[in-house]
C-alpha cells in the first residue's frame, strides 16, 4: 500500500489537471528527447480516475524503440489518495500473492512488482522528465 500511496502523489505532481480538463499528458526524457510516456485519462468519475500509461515516440522522431514499455492501466482512488496498477499488457485479475511455481509463472508478489515498477517510472519522470507541451495554466 505504501507504493500505491506514493504513486498517487507522484501522478498528481506529473499530471495535476487529470481530474479537471486535460485528457492527456506527455512526459519526455531529457537524455534522448525521442521517447515520451503518455498518460491518457480513459474514465473519470467523482471518486476515481482510470489512466492508461504507454510509451510513444516523440513527434518528429524517426526512431523505432527496441524496448517497449508495457501498457499499464492505473486506477486512482481520490478519496483514499491511492493509485494502483489494475492491468499490465492486458493482464488483469492478478492475485496479491501466488504460490510458486504456478501455472502462469507469475512471481509470488506479481501485483506488488507492478506497483513498484510504476513507482520507478514515475520517479524517473519526476527526476529527469520534461513536458513537451505547456502545463495547465502556463503560457506556451
Amino acid at each position: 500500500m505504501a507504493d500505491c500511496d506514493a504513486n498517487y502523489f507522484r501522478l498528481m505532481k506529473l499530471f495535476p489537471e487529470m481530474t479537471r480538463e486535460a485528457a492527456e499528458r506527455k512526459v519526455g526524457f531529457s537524455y534522448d528527447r525521442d521517447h515520451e510516456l503518455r498518460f491518457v485519462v480513459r474514465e473519470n468519475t467523482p471518486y476515481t480516475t482510470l489512466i492508461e500509461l504507454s510509451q510513444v515516440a516523440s513527434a518528429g522522431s524517426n526512431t523505432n524503440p527496441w524496448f517497449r514499455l508495457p501498457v499499464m492501466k492505473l486506477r486512482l482512488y481520490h478519496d483514499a489518495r491511492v493509485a494502483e496498477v489494475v492491468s499490465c499488457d492486458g493482464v488483469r485479475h492478478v492475485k496479491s500473492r501466488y504460490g510458486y511455481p504456478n501455472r502462469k509463472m507469475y512471481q509470488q508478489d506479481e501485483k506488488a512488482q507492478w506497483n513498484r515498477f510504476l513507482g520507478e517510472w514515475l520517479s524517473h519522470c519526476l527526476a529527469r522528465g520534461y513536458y513537451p507541451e505547456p502545463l495547465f495554466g502556463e503560457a506556451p
Side-chain angles (χ1 to χ4, degrees):
M1 283 303 290
D3 286 328
C4 295
D5 293 344
N7 287 343
Y8 180 85
F9 289 104
R10 289 178 187 123
L11 279 163
M12 293 307 288
K13 281 184 178 181
L14 287 168
F15 194 8
E17 69 279 5
M18 83 175 78
T19 58
R20 293 191 292 261
E21 295 177 13
E24 184 175 323
R25 161 70 65 206
K26 291 181 183 174
V27 177
F29 297 104
S30 58
Y31 60 84
D32 69 359
R33 295 198 182 258
D34 282 338
H35 300 97
E36 298 171 343
L37 284 182
R38 184 175 73 167
F39 301 86
V40 179
V41 175
R42 295 292 180 201
E43 178 183 293
N44 207 350
T45 66
Y47 299 105
T48 66
T49 302
L50 181 68
I51 295 178
E52 184 177 279
L53 170 64
S54 60
Q55 181 182 11
V56 294
S58 300
S61 171
N62 57 3
T63 61
N64 187 4
W66 62 271
F67 174 74
R68 187 183 64 80
L69 181 70
V71 175
M72 303 174 93
K73 290 196 178 168
L74 322 171
R75 173 77 64 190
L76 283 77
Y77 301 93
H78 300 295
D79 52 346
R81 295 186 175 162
V82 172
E84 72 166 325
V85 179
V86 294
S87 171
C88 186
D89 265 350
V91 177
R92 302 181 326 174
H93 308 296
V94 176
K95 297 178 188 175
S96 60
R97 217 59 197 148
Y98 283 95
Y100 198 79
N102 56 66
R103 190 171 60 84
K104 294 195 177 191
M105 292 306 292
Y106 289 135
Q107 295 296 316
Q108 290 177 322
D109 61 343
E110 186 79 17
K111 183 98 173 176
Q113 287 190 31
W114 286 1
N115 287 299
R116 271 194 301 272
F117 180 68
L118 172 63
E120 289 172 8
W121 268 106
L122 296 176
S123 294
H124 184 72
C125 287
L126 287 168
R128 293 185 173 53
Y130 68 92
Y131 293 106
E133 74 268 358
L135 290 174
F136 181 73
E138 290 182 355

